[in-house]
Structures are given as structure tokens and as C-alpha cells.
Amino acid sequence: SDHRVQLSGVFNVRKGKLALPVNRWSKRQVTLSGTCLIVSSVKHAHTGKMHILPLIGGKVEEVKRHSHCLAFSSAGPQSQTYYVSYDSYTEHLRWHRMASKIASQRVSSVDLSCCSLEELPPQLFYSHDLTHLNLKNNFMSPHRGVPALTRFCKLRSLSLSNNALSEFPLSLCDIPSLTELNLSGNRLSCLPAEVGSMHNLQTLLLDGNLLSLLPTELSSLEGLTYLGLSFNSFSCVPPVLEKLRGLERLCLAGNQLSVLDVAGLQWLPVHYVDLRLNRLQEVTVADSEQLLHITQLDLRDTGLQELDVTCLTRLELLRCDRNSLSILRVSGHALKSLHAAHNELRRLEIQPAPENLTFLDLCRNKLSSVPDWVCETSRLEVLDINYNCITELPVWLLSSGSLRKLLAGWNDVCQLPERLESSQLEVLDLQHNRLTELPHNLFIQAQSLRYLNVSANKMVDLPAASTSEDAFSRLEELYVTNNSLTDKCIALLSGHGLLKVLHLAYNQLQTFTASKLARLELLEELDVSGNRLRSVPTTILSCQRLHTLSAHSNCINTFPEVLQLPEIKCVDLSCNELTDVTLPETLPPKLLELDLTGNPRLNLDHKSLELLKYGEPTQTSLWKVSNTPGRFHGYTEASGVRNKLCVAALAQDSFCGIREALYGVFDGDRNAEVPHLLQCTMGDVLAEELHRGQRQEDYMSNTFLTMQRKLGTAGQRMGGAAALCHIRHDPMAPGEHGGGCFTLKAANVGRCRAVLCRDGRAMELSDVHTVREEEEYRRVRQHNAIITEDNKVSGVTDSTRILGYSFLCPSVTPRPHVSTVTLTPQDEFFLLGTRGLWELLSPAEAIEAVRNVPDALAAAKKLVTLAQSYGCSDSLCAVVVQLSITEDCCCFCEPPPPPPSPGAPPAALAYSSSGVDAGISLPPTSSGTVSELSSEFSTSEMSSEVGSTASSEEPPPQPESQMAPLNPAGRVAVRRPANGGGGFHRQFSGALSDNGLDSEDEEPIAGVFSNGSRVEVEADVHCLLRHDCTHIHVSGANEPPSSLTALIPPPAPPSSPYLGGDSGQGTLGRRGRANGSVACQGRNQDLIEEAADAPVRKQGGYFNAPAQPDPDDQLIIPPELEEEVRQIIQQQQQQDSTKIYGVMAHERQRNKPQIFPS
């Protein structure tokens, strides 16, 4: 098991004595797991035959004749010895220390779980003092292996769970010392009468079997206190349990009980009763005087609609989450904790008022107000009423003398009391309400307040921190994202001198007062994204502990001095107006990410490029720099709580042809290996499935099933969720009218989901399969799986369909949910997100949040920022893909003449990053933008980004036909160009591009065109053109890239240049593979070498290139001549189009294969 592995590696291993020449050194996988040394039979093997050497009682010695060599010996007269030679002294010392600790332990507890054992190792019998033995997840049988356990006369605890015993081993009855026995998951259908002879047994776990009856001899186990019978086939409480007077804990979860006979519980001596996951239809009432012994009751996931347990007067803990309760009645005499989340509660009655209640969870119900009896609870510390319909929070609740944590988000609270009395609140969450202001004396009266979240409200101001400037509040975390705060609230923040986390994203801030920021010396994380800031104050240098600065989607034009901070790790300044970057001589030692994507005027000199390329030799950092004015592909990362990137994304705008696209997100929850493997491999697997059968309907399901096999050993104990969206063009059959259509096929497993925005409304394309679905629950139980209290299969995953976790198969399968939709002109964009995003944003809220964001990169970043501020601390990933579908989708077979293009290409419409002003138009393209959150990065975890231009000039003005004014609703209206039917458009670069032609007869300069100061790169492809009709321009092979995407590659020799253009990927400097990884360009070498000598290096790190006219130096047409000039231009365009189309038709005819008679 992975959690038991302490050390692992591939080393030279030799078995037996060193003096014998027969034994040779060989490379083997060596693992120190639990109390054993495991040596594989072949190199790098994690499965198959394993040599297990128990270390407890053995020896770990240094071998002086060999450097960095250890000798591992087991105990006993027939001990075995393995010699392991290490590569370094550090590795040798680490193994020596760890193994010596194990060998010095007393042989009283041995863990041999998950070792594929059929019999006990002979070395195990050398220990006569063994008291605890764990043999779960092996292949022991009742007649082979288990009988040998009788040799341990002092054995007290034995686990044989998940060994497929199929019958109770009678030899266990001959171990009188046993006090704890675990036989779960062995498909036992009955218990023998001999089990009654195990008089010392205190704990007996029989979960996950096929039992429906218990023998009467079980009543002789007078010392039995804990009996686990969950996930068997009991239809009622076994009568024999009434005679077990010492029984305290009874677990009957996941059986076939349909009635809760409360009266029958009076005969049971138990204190704790677990009946969750039974399909209860009725609860009977009994006399409360006979039920004084019941103190804890678990009724989660039972399907109850009403519950009355007032007869349980001594009840201290009640769990009834995830039901359909509308009415709940509980006795409050002894109640201490009540969990009733995920119900439909409208009324909660507790009589009398629970004086001992400390924890109350009522989130995700339909309560319209806080119950009145709550004010009488003098010991309540935690109250969770998130996701209800509450409109008012009473003043006595906020001024409670005992309440420490109040979660009241996602309600309809419009106003709080103007003034508060003394409050002991430490955590206050009021996000997603309708608040415009907070109580004026909130921070003065709630002096213990450390966490405040009022995001997604209508806040226009904040209360003062204190009455005087000398007093400081204790507030450490403040989240006010997505409100209407202005600059005047900045002055009020200086009173929070202990503030560590400050989120002010998506407000209306224009300036951040420098003197106020200087007083926040303990600040560690600052997020001011989505405002109108033009600069970050230089006083940010006073925040010496700052490690994260997020200021994307602003108007910042000056690079802040944040890289001088010693603790800085993550800086996000994307989607701003930066023109240059001032870098220190050496980069901060802890810096992990610098994101400068989406800055259209950014200009990096050669020195900065070199510094960002290589950094310090010891750093493994990620730099993302791009200056595309309308960036549609990009990534963003930031630190999570676990500081680990456990998500990945796949975005290929050209997949298996220029009329297909593939997008995906992958979430490994707590592992990074599986998402990385999915990102690098899943695109190739899908391409193979499409190649086998182009019209195969189940190709998406086959992709997931094949991917499960390709995960190999990584998918045995780890897994990951995935969501894929494949866009393809389906042409009409010959003879039918119309040009075909574009379809979107979405598939998902786990909690990764896709949502389509159709006419402004969210249309879900995915489904999440859990055990809460009746069909999935029956399937999981059919395969004898156990569901733990947190609704996870075998305690591993809460999704019943997910990639990986092959050891849970067939309970958990990789078969995806697949949906297919035909794209229409009403489809605006679609989103893909991982689990953390959808836990805090509903599909409708996510669609509404980014619908008016014209840039896909900024839209994806906004989703991630909102989820962070709303409370997500896990890795996040979001993909935004903008669509432009015309009424009549064209056929791919006969490309029409290209659209008229006197200036910029028609697909590159004008873009402005300042907002939704008049004249701004959404790009009529399909573009994917990816946002990820974490702080560990590797090249393989980043899929390729599109190419971008490096111009700092303003985009040329577009014709009126290409401009899109705002409609009355505030939505940017897209005017789609009439290009012969149109279709599914993509755009990789911005509006600044040139076709590279000086005249109709001249060929373009291969790979090079310029604005006079810097080389630009274009990868703008129209979807109607075939591959052989598409011109791709790339920069020279010896030039440093003026736009860095994803990762800056290491220096390449001239024979294998990195710079290359590819219409399929649009990756500047590198060619993206179909699997999302990046490789050196290989098929356009001649094109690159031809352009290599064009630019000439200048001293400042810039390059000379053929000059072009200044965009500002343009012909000004008088208004009275506009109509005449427009007609002349249209005539010229029609002539050019006719000529180009004739050339294309001639090329097709020339390339047509000749057919000769046989």
C-alpha cells in the first residue's frame, strides 16, 4: 500500500554471502514498506513476484568492503541476507537509519498487508511474542496459510479482511488469546457454531459479507463490545444480539432494513447504533423510559422524509445527513451535536431547548429563518446554515457569548443589525448574500474575529477596524471579492495590522493607497485582480512575508517591485497593460511562477529573456510570458494548501485535422501523477479510436476504457477524474441539402464537469455518478464493496466512475457518461472545470460570471479567482472555449473562396482588454483557455499554448462590418463575417498579423514579418482552408522568442531549432504534440532554415527585420468619399478572391490522382 511505503528506489542488489561467486549484483526495485524489506524479481517492477524480508528482530549492518552498501538480515536460524548498494552516502545513511529503527523493534506487531501472500513467511514464526498481525488484502485460504496462525499463542489482534476466504476458518477458534478479529470482505455466507468458543473476543468485524443470520451460540461471547455487521443481507436486527449484554456499538449500515423499530432497540444494550444506507420507509415510536441507553444514532442516506426521535431522551449525537427530511423532531435533553445537512428541512423542532448543544449543521436545507430555540442554547460553538433561504440574522445570534463559528453564506440576507453587542465570533462567513454594508462596530465588538468572508455581496464600504489608529484588530483573513468596493475602503484596511490574507478581486478599485499598504506588514497573500488598478504601490516592499500577489485583469502598466521580496512565490500580472519588465540581477530563491500572459504591449529585452529562461541553476520554476492582445489560450497557477499541482488540462484547437478540437481537464485529488499521465496520453488514445472507425459512436467510451489500461501500475492505487469535449464537423451525406454541422461530444468520469452556454443559459453536459444514485449503489453493492461514512467506496473515492483505482474494480469503473449536442448559433461558449470549481460555483453562476468577459484567458482566470475567494483551497483547473457557429455550417469537401481581407485576416477582430466599451467585439472563434491552481510545476503537466504576436502597436481599425456594438442587455454582439456559409472558427493570434505578401505574384518570406522593431509570429488559420492551402509564418530559428508560452525551453543547437509554426497547435517556439506535450519542431525544418538569416541581431537584444509602414501613418478618407472608396475596395476584393479560388481549384485538379484502365 502506498501509505505504508517509507523508502523506495532501484539499486544494485545481491542475495546471500558476498564470498560466493555464484551470486551476482543486479538492478532491482527495493522498497522499505511497513516492517519488511521488499525486493522485486525484475528491475522497476512493482507487481508480480516479490521477495519479502521481515526486519523486526533482524540486523542492518554496514558492509565495509563495499562503499555505500548495507546488509539486511532477517531473524532466526534460517535467516536470509540481502546486500543493497546505494549510489550516494546520503541515500545509504537514510536507509540505514530507517531500517535500523524497524530492526530494533520488538516483534509484537507485524504488518504484512497487500503483500500477495498465500502462506505465512517462514521467518514470521521466529517471533513467539507476536500480538498484532495484519494480513488484509492477501490471498490466504482457510485450509492454506490460516491454520498456521495457531502457532502464535499470544496473538490478540488479527486482520484477515479482503482475503476471499468464502468460509469461516475453524482454526481461528483454536487461538484463545484473540480479542480482536477482522474478517470483513470475505464473502462469508454463514458463521459456524464454533465461533461461540472464542470467549475472549471483544471486537468482531464481519462487514462486507453475505450474512443474513447469526448463530445462537454467538450469545456466549459475553465480552463482545463491538460487532460490525455492515453491508450484509440482514432484513432485521438479529434477535441473538439481545443476549449480548456487553455490546456497546452495533453497525448495521448498508443492509436491507426497511423499518426502524425504535421499540426493538430497548432490548439492545448498545449505546451507538449505525443504520445508514438502509432504505428505511418507516420509523416507529416507543416508550422513552426504555430507551435511555441509546446515546448515538446514525441515519445518514436512509431516504427518510420525516423523522421523530423525541423518544430517545438521552440522545447526544444524531446524524441524519443526505436524506429528504422536511420535518425533524428531536429531544433536546442531552443533545450535544446535530448533523442534518443536505435535506429539505423547513421546520426543525427540538424540545426542550438543548442546553448542551455545541455543534449544529443545517446547511443545504430550505429554512427561511434561524430556529427560535437557538437563542436559548448557551453552549453552541459552531452553526452552519449555508445554502438555505434565510433572510435575516437576529442580533442575538451575532452577539452570542458562546458562538465561535457562524457559516451563513448562500442565503438571502439583505441587512444586518446596525450595531452589535459584544461578540465572541472567530469565523464569520456571509458570502453570497445581498448585503450592502456590515455593522459599523463589527470589528470593535468582535475583537476575536480572525476570518471574515463577505464575497459575492453588494458591499460598497467596510466598517472601521477600530476607534483609534493605535488599536489593531485580530483579523487575519479577509475576503471581499466580487463586490462594489471603491478606493475609500482602502483607508479602512490599515487598522488590520495582523492581516495575512486579503482578497479584493473584482471590485471597483482604481488606486491602492501606498501608505495604507505599508501598514500591512504581515500580509502573505494579496489578490486585487479584476479591478481598474494602474499600478501596485512601491510600499509593497514593506510586506516582507508576502508570497502570493495576484493582480491580473487590471490596467497595470508598470511592473511592481515585488520580485525584491524574499518570500515571494507566485506573481500573476496577466491581462494588464505592461510595456516592460524590470527584473533584479538575481531572481528570488522561492519564486515559482511569474505570469505575464495577455499583456499586448509587453516588450522584453534580451537580458530579461535570458534570466527568465534559465533563472538560478537550483530553481525549477515556471515562467509564462505572452503579449498577445487577445490571448485565448493560457494557464494560471497559484499555491494551494497542499502546495501541490494535482490537476492538468488538455487543449488542442486543431485535433486530427483543422476542423476538430479537443479540450479536457483532469483532477487527481491528492496525486499529481495520474492527471499528468492523462494529459500526455489521452489525446493520442482518442486519435487512435477515431482512426479505427471515423463514424464509431462509442469512440469516447472506448477512449476511457483504453486509458484505464494504459495507466498501468500508476492506476492501481491512484486515480483521477476527467472530462473531455471533442468538437468535430459532420458533413451531410451526398445528395442532402446543407453543409453539415458541428457536434460537441462530452464525456466525464469523477467530478470534472462540462457546461455549455446556450443563449445565456447553462446546459450541463456531464453527470456525476456517486453511491447516492440508486442504480450506482446497487451496482457497487453487487460487487461487495464497502461504503464508508463519508460516502466513499472502500474509503477511497466518492465517485463510482473514475479512471484508475483498478484495485476497486469492478465496483469503481472507468466507463464515462457521454452526451452529444449539435452546436447552434445560440451556443456562445462552454466551460470545463475540476471538482474544486463546481463545489463552490453552480453551472449557472459560472456561466453568468464569465459571459461578458471578452477574453477567454481572463474568463478562465476569473473562475479560478472566484473559487479561491469563495473558500476553495485545492488545486483548480478551468477551461473556457468560445464558439462562433453560423446558421449554415459548410461542408469541408469544397473550400469556398477566401473571404475578402484588405487588412487583417477576417477571423482576427478588434479586441480591447479594457472592458465592454462600445465597439468591442468578441472574437468569433473557438478558443480554449485553461486556468490551473497550485505551485508545483513540470513541463509535462503543461499542455501547449497557442502562438502570439509580439507587436506593441495598436491593432489597425476594423471595417464597420466587423465591429460589434453592445446590445441592450449589455452582451457583446458578434457580427459573424459572411464567408460562404461559415462554420467553426478558430483564432490563435491577435489582430496584428500580415499575410506576408507584397503583391499577388510574390511568395511570402518564410516565417518572417515585422512591424519594424520586433519579429512577430502568426498562426492564424481559417477553418475552411485545407492544410495545403494554409500559410503559416514562423520566426527565425536563431531568434529568441518575443513571446514565451507555457515553459521557456532550454537552448537548442542550430540543427534542431525550437522555433516553429504549426497550424494545429499554434505554439510559439515549439510544436505541440497531439497528446498535449511539447516536442521539437521536425517537419518544417526547411522553412525555418530559410528564414534563419533574415533577422540581424542588434545590441539591445532586439532584432532587425524588413520595415513596414507605421500603423499610425494611414490614409484618412473624407466622409464624403467613404462610399465610393468602399465600392472600389469591394470590387478589388472580389477580383482577388476569384483569382485565388481559381488557383486553388487548379491545384486540386493537378493533385487529383490519375486512374488508368487495367
Side-chain angles (χ1 to χ4, degrees):
S1 180
D2 294 335
H3 69 276
R4 295 174 58 246
V5 174
Q6 303 172 41
L7 294 172
S8 182
V10 179
F11 310 106
N12 284 313
V13 180
R14 184 171 180 173
K15 181 181 180 182
K17 298 181 179 180
L18 290 176
L20 297 178
V22 179
N23 300 325
R24 297 182 179 180
W25 295 93
S26 56
K27 286 280 188 179
R28 293 290 182 266
Q29 179 78 29
V30 184
T31 304
L32 188 63
S33 177
T35 59
C36 300
L37 182 75
I38 302 176
V39 181
S40 65
S41 57
V42 293
K43 182 181 178 182
H44 295 297
H46 295 274
T47 58
K49 187 177 180 181
M50 297 287 184
H51 301 280
I52 302 174
L53 186 72
L55 294 179
I56 293 183
K59 297 180 180 179
V60 181
E61 301 175 316
E62 295 189 32
V63 181
K64 298 182 179 179
R65 288 180 295 172
H66 295 268
S67 60
H68 314 324
C69 183
L70 292 177
F72 298 87
S73 302
S74 60
Q78 298 180 355
S79 65
Q80 294 182 346
T81 303
Y82 283 91
Y83 296 89
V84 182
S85 179
Y86 300 95
D87 300 330
S88 64
Y89 175 75
T90 304
E91 197 113 31
H92 162 271
L93 185 62
R94 185 184 301 114
W95 279 76
H96 191 196
R97 289 178 176 176
M98 186 67 69
S100 297
K101 291 181 181 179
I102 298 174
S104 62
Q105 296 177 8
R106 292 187 59 189
V107 190
S108 60
S109 177
V110 176
D111 188 352
L112 293 176
S113 61
C114 306
C115 291
S116 303
L117 295 177
E118 296 181 2
E119 295 182 350
L120 298 178
Q123 298 85 353
L124 190 62
F125 299 108
Y126 301 147
S127 171
H128 300 288
D129 299 326
L130 192 64
T131 59
H132 295 75
L133 180 59
N134 185 1
L135 292 172
K136 69 177 182 179
N137 292 308
N138 283 290
F139 299 97
M140 311 289 289
S141 64
H143 308 290
R144 183 183 178 186
V146 176
L149 292 171
T150 57
R151 298 172 59 178
F152 301 106
C153 57
K154 297 182 181 180
L155 191 62
R156 288 185 295 155
S157 176
L158 174 63
S159 176
L160 284 170
S161 63
N162 299 299
N163 272 266
L165 295 174
S166 72
E167 61 179 276
F168 188 92
L170 294 177
S171 57
L172 296 180
C173 300
D174 298 330
I175 310 177
S177 59
L178 272 181
T179 61
E180 180 180 348
L181 178 61
N182 188 349
L183 293 175
S184 301
N186 281 291
R187 292 191 173 273
L188 304 178
S189 57
C190 63
L191 290 181
E194 289 80 358
V195 73
S197 63
M198 306 175 72
H199 298 291
N200 293 324
L201 209 57
Q202 299 176 6
T203 300
L204 179 58
L205 301 179
L206 299 170
D207 304 317
N209 285 290
L210 305 175
L211 301 174
S212 58
L213 296 173
L214 294 180
T216 56
E217 289 79 4
L218 196 67
S219 60
S220 61
L221 302 182
E222 298 179 355
L224 194 64
T225 59
Y226 180 19
L227 180 59
L229 299 174
S230 298
F231 302 102
N232 281 278
S233 302
F234 293 100
S235 58
C236 62
V237 179
V240 68
L241 301 183
E242 299 176 3
K243 301 179 181 180
L244 297 175
R245 306 314 300 174
L247 195 63
E248 297 179 357
R249 186 180 179 96
L250 174 62
C251 294
L252 278 169
N255 279 276
Q256 300 176 8
L257 278 69
S258 58
V259 177
L260 173 56
D261 186 9
V262 180
L265 297 179
Q266 62 181 321
W267 308 111
L268 297 178
V270 295
H271 301 300
Y272 177 89
V273 180
D274 182 3
L275 298 176
R276 59 189 178 86
L277 287 169
N278 284 279
R279 296 300 181 253
L280 299 179
Q281 300 176 0
E282 183 183 358
V283 178
T284 62
V285 182
D287 185 8
S288 60
E289 296 296 330
Q290 305 297 327
L291 297 169
L292 300 179
H293 55 282
I294 303 294
T295 59
Q296 299 182 31
L297 181 61
D298 193 341
L299 295 175
R300 285 176 285 188
D301 300 288
T302 56
L304 290 172
Q305 297 181 356
E306 292 187 7
L307 180 60
D308 186 349
V309 288
T310 54
C311 56
L312 301 177
T313 57
R314 295 299 179 187
L315 193 65
E316 298 179 359
L317 170 64
L318 174 61
R319 296 181 180 272
C320 54
D321 311 75
R322 299 187 295 269
N323 284 290
S324 301
L325 296 175
S326 58
I327 300 177
L328 175 60
R329 298 183 178 92
V330 188
S331 172
H333 284 97
L335 192 63
K336 294 181 179 179
S337 182
L338 174 60
H339 302 257
H342 293 268
N343 281 285
E344 299 177 4
L345 286 176
R346 299 180 184 274
R347 187 171 60 181
L348 175 60
E349 299 178 5
I350 300 183
Q351 293 292 336
E355 297 180 357
N356 299 318
L357 187 66
T358 59
F359 185 93
L360 180 59
D361 185 0
L362 300 173
C363 73
R364 297 187 183 272
N365 280 282
K366 297 182 179 180
L367 297 174
S368 58
S369 62
V370 180
D372 295 334
W373 52 262
V374 176
C375 66
E376 303 179 30
T377 58
S378 58
R379 298 182 182 180
L380 185 63
E381 296 181 359
V382 178
L383 175 60
D384 188 350
I385 49 177
N386 282 330
Y387 295 97
N388 277 278
C389 306
I390 295 174
T391 58
E392 182 182 2
L393 294 179
V395 63
W396 51 261
L397 182 63
L398 299 173
S399 302
S400 172
S402 62
L403 196 62
R404 298 289 187 272
K405 185 175 183 178
L406 175 60
L407 306 179
W410 288 275
N411 281 285
D412 296 321
V413 181
C414 299
Q415 187 176 2
L416 294 177
E418 294 186 3
R419 302 187 62 84
L420 297 180
E421 300 297 331
S422 178
S423 175
Q424 302 299 320
L425 280 173
E426 298 179 7
V427 176
L428 179 59
D429 192 339
L430 297 170
Q431 61 177 304
H432 285 84
N433 281 284
R434 301 180 182 179
L435 297 173
T436 57
E437 60 180 358
L438 296 173
H440 301 307
N441 60 346
L442 174 63
F443 298 118
I444 300 174
Q445 295 296 333
Q447 299 201 353
S448 300
L449 193 63
R450 295 181 291 104
Y451 175 98
L452 175 62
N453 194 332
V454 288
S455 299
N457 277 281
K458 301 178 181 180
M459 303 285 298
V460 295
D461 201 0
L462 292 175
S466 60
T467 55
S468 62
E469 295 185 359
D470 297 332
F472 287 94
S473 70
R474 296 185 181 180
L475 192 65
E476 297 180 2
E477 299 183 37
L478 177 60
Y479 300 86
V480 285
T481 294
N482 197 11
N483 279 282
S484 302
L485 298 178
T486 58
D487 296 347
K488 65 178 182 179
C489 75
I490 301 298
L492 303 173
L493 296 175
S494 59
H496 303 290
L498 301 180
L499 206 59
K500 295 180 180 180
V501 179
L502 177 59
H503 282 218
L504 293 167
Y506 294 98
N507 281 281
Q508 299 177 9
L509 304 180
Q510 296 183 1
T511 58
F512 203 115
T513 309
S515 60
K516 305 303 179 182
L517 182 60
R519 302 191 62 178
L520 304 178
E521 297 179 355
L522 302 181
L523 200 62
E524 298 177 2
E525 180 178 335
L526 176 61
D527 193 337
V528 290
S529 305
N531 286 284
R532 303 172 185 174
L533 298 176
R534 294 193 172 274
S535 64
V536 177
T538 56
T539 52
I540 197 172
L541 296 178
S542 303
C543 308
Q544 290 293 301
R545 299 185 182 183
L546 191 71
H547 59 72
T548 301
L549 172 62
S550 181
H552 65 80
S553 306
N554 278 283
C555 305
I556 298 175
N557 51 29
T558 304
F559 190 80
E561 301 177 1
V562 68
L563 295 184
Q564 299 181 20
L565 295 173
E567 300 293 327
I568 195 68
K569 294 180 181 179
C570 174
V571 179
D572 188 351
L573 294 170
S574 58
C575 301
N576 278 286
E577 299 178 1
L578 293 175
T579 56
D580 54 14
V581 176
T582 304
L583 299 178
E585 293 295 330
T586 58
L587 296 175
K590 299 182 180 180
L591 186 62
L592 296 173
E593 179 189 5
L594 174 60
D595 192 347
L596 302 176
T597 55
N599 285 278
R601 300 191 179 103
L602 182 60
N603 176 20
L604 291 178
D605 57 20
H606 182 69
K607 182 178 179 181
S608 299
L609 284 174
E610 293 296 323
L611 185 59
L612 291 180
K613 269 187 181 181
Y614 309 114
E616 298 296 328
T618 59
Q619 286 183 255
T620 56
S621 303
L622 172 65
W623 315 109
K624 298 189 298 181
V625 185
S626 174
N627 47 8
T628 309
R631 187 74 175 173
F632 304 127
H633 246 137
Y635 296 86
T636 177
E637 294 83 13
S639 299
V641 171
R642 286 192 293 268
N643 209 21
K644 186 177 181 181
L645 183 66
C646 297
V647 294
L650 177 64
Q652 299 180 19
D653 289 287
S654 183
F655 176 75
C656 295
I658 60 175
R659 308 195 74 185
E660 294 187 33
L662 179 64
Y663 307 95
V665 292
F666 314 105
D667 189 351
D669 193 13
R670 295 189 179 183
N671 77 85
E673 291 82 358
V674 171
H676 161 57
L677 291 174
L678 296 176
Q679 178 198 44
C680 294
T681 313
M682 210 155 188
D684 289 342
V685 175
L686 180 59
E688 292 174 2
E689 293 296 332
L690 289 173
H691 181 69
R692 292 175 184 173
Q694 291 290 337
R695 300 294 106 192
Q696 191 176 1
E697 291 299 327
D698 57 349
Y699 70 90
M700 197 65 103
S701 296
N702 293 340
T703 298
F704 280 74
L705 298 177
T706 304
M707 193 65 233
Q708 174 80 353
R709 176 175 53 84
K710 288 183 175 292
L711 285 177
T713 57
Q716 290 182 357
R717 294 284 166 178
M718 297 184 295
L724 281 183
C725 286
H726 179 219
I727 299 178
R728 63 189 303 180
H729 181 264
D730 293 328
M732 300 293 291
E736 296 186 13
H737 297 285
C741 59
F742 284 96
T743 59
L744 171 62
K745 186 179 288 290
N748 80 293
V749 292
R751 293 191 174 272
C752 292
R753 297 160 63 185
V755 178
L756 174 67
C757 177
R758 173 166 289 182
D759 200 17
R761 297 181 180 179
M763 177 180 177
E764 296 194 44
L765 305 176
S766 306
D767 193 9
V768 179
H769 297 281
T770 65
V771 292
R772 298 197 66 184
E773 300 177 15
E774 185 65 27
E775 182 179 354
E776 290 295 303
Y777 176 78
R778 286 199 302 265
R779 183 182 63 81
V780 170
R781 286 297 302 124
Q782 182 180 358
H783 299 294
N784 206 38
I786 290 178
I787 301 169
T788 53
E789 294 182 356
D790 51 0
N791 259 8
K792 292 185 177 181
V793 180
S794 298
V796 176
T797 173
D798 59 353
S799 299
T800 56
R801 300 191 188 183
I802 199 168
L803 287 167
Y805 297 125
S806 56
F807 78 102
L808 295 176
C809 184
S811 302
V812 174
T813 70
R815 183 170 297 277
H817 170 82
V818 181
S819 61
T820 305
V821 295
T822 301
L823 297 178
T824 66
Q826 287 74 37
D827 297 327
E828 303 171 18
F829 59 92
F830 65 87
L831 313 174
L832 293 97
T834 53
R835 173 183 52 86
L837 182 70
W838 301 117
E839 283 182 350
L840 291 162
L841 277 82
S842 65
E845 184 180 1
I847 291 294
E848 185 64 27
V850 300
R851 192 185 177 204
N852 291 325
V853 179
D855 181 37
L857 171 62
K861 283 184 171 290
K862 182 175 183 179
L863 290 176
V864 169
T865 299
L866 293 180
Q868 264 194 312
S869 296
Y870 296 164
C872 181
S873 58
D874 296 330
S875 298
L876 287 172
C877 180
V879 177
V880 177
V881 181
Q882 295 177 344
L883 302 173
S884 178
I885 307 298
T886 58
E887 288 287 351
D888 184 17
C889 296
C890 62
C891 182
F892 186 65
C893 302
E894 292 294 333
S901 179
L909 297 185
Y911 170 83
S912 173
S913 60
S914 59
V916 285
D917 298 327
I920 299 176
S921 61
L922 278 177
T925 63
S926 167
S927 56
T929 300
V930 182
S931 293
E932 296 181 6
L933 268 165
S934 189
S935 63
E936 289 186 5
F937 316 110
S938 63
T939 57
S940 57
E941 286 175 340
M942 306 296 297
S943 60
S944 57
E945 297 183 347
V946 300
S948 60
T949 57
S951 174
S952 62
E953 303 295 335
E954 292 289 337
Q958 303 296 322
E960 287 183 4
S961 61
Q962 296 181 358
M963 303 304 290
L966 287 172
N967 57 18
R971 171 67 177 155
V972 180
V974 179
R975 180 85 177 266
R976 301 176 178 84
N979 48 9
F984 173 62
H985 302 283
R986 300 182 184 84
Q987 176 183 355
F988 298 143
S989 65
L992 288 173
S993 58
D994 195 341
N995 57 12
L997 300 177
D998 295 331
S999 66
E1000 296 178 357
D1001 299 326
E1002 293 181 356
E1003 292 294 327
I1005 302 175
V1008 178
F1009 62 99
S1010 173
N1011 63 355
S1013 60
R1014 287 182 309 282
V1015 175
E1016 298 179 351
V1017 178
E1018 180 196 12
D1020 195 351
V1021 183
H1022 196 278
C1023 71
L1024 299 179
L1025 297 180
R1026 300 183 302 176
H1027 287 289
D1028 56 348
C1029 300
T1030 304
H1031 297 287
I1032 303 169
H1033 306 285
V1034 298
S1035 55
N1038 298 328
E1039 306 163 2
S1042 56
S1043 175
L1044 307 178
T1045 61
L1047 290 163
I1048 299 181
S1055 60
S1056 60
Y1058 272 86
L1059 291 179
D1062 184 85
S1063 63
Q1065 306 301 325
T1067 304
L1068 174 61
R1070 298 170 300 174
R1071 174 173 174 258
R1073 293 179 184 168
N1075 60 9
S1077 59
V1078 178
C1080 182
Q1081 172 79 346
R1083 68 183 175 92
N1084 285 337
Q1085 296 293 327
D1086 298 334
L1087 183 67
I1088 296 176
E1089 292 175 359
E1090 181 181 349
D1093 298 330
V1096 179
R1097 170 169 288 202
K1098 295 173 66 176
Q1099 291 296 325
Y1102 296 91
F1103 298 87
N1104 287 329
Q1108 291 181 343
D1110 190 347
D1112 295 332
D1113 185 12
Q1114 298 177 355
L1115 179 63
I1116 301 177
I1117 303 174
E1120 60 271 12
L1121 298 179
E1122 281 186 1
E1123 186 64 28
E1124 181 180 353
V1125 172
R1126 185 178 293 108
Q1127 294 177 1
I1128 296 175
I1129 292 177
Q1130 291 178 353
Q1131 293 175 2
Q1132 184 65 31
Q1133 289 173 349
Q1134 293 176 0
Q1135 295 177 3
D1136 294 344
S1137 301
T1138 303
K1139 180 176 181 180
I1140 293 175
Y1141 184 73
V1143 173
M1144 292 169 58
H1146 174 70
E1147 286 295 323
R1148 286 197 304 274
Q1149 182 67 27
R1150 190 177 59 139
N1151 295 331
K1152 184 177 181 180
Q1154 301 294 325
I1155 301 177
F1156 300 95
S1158 58

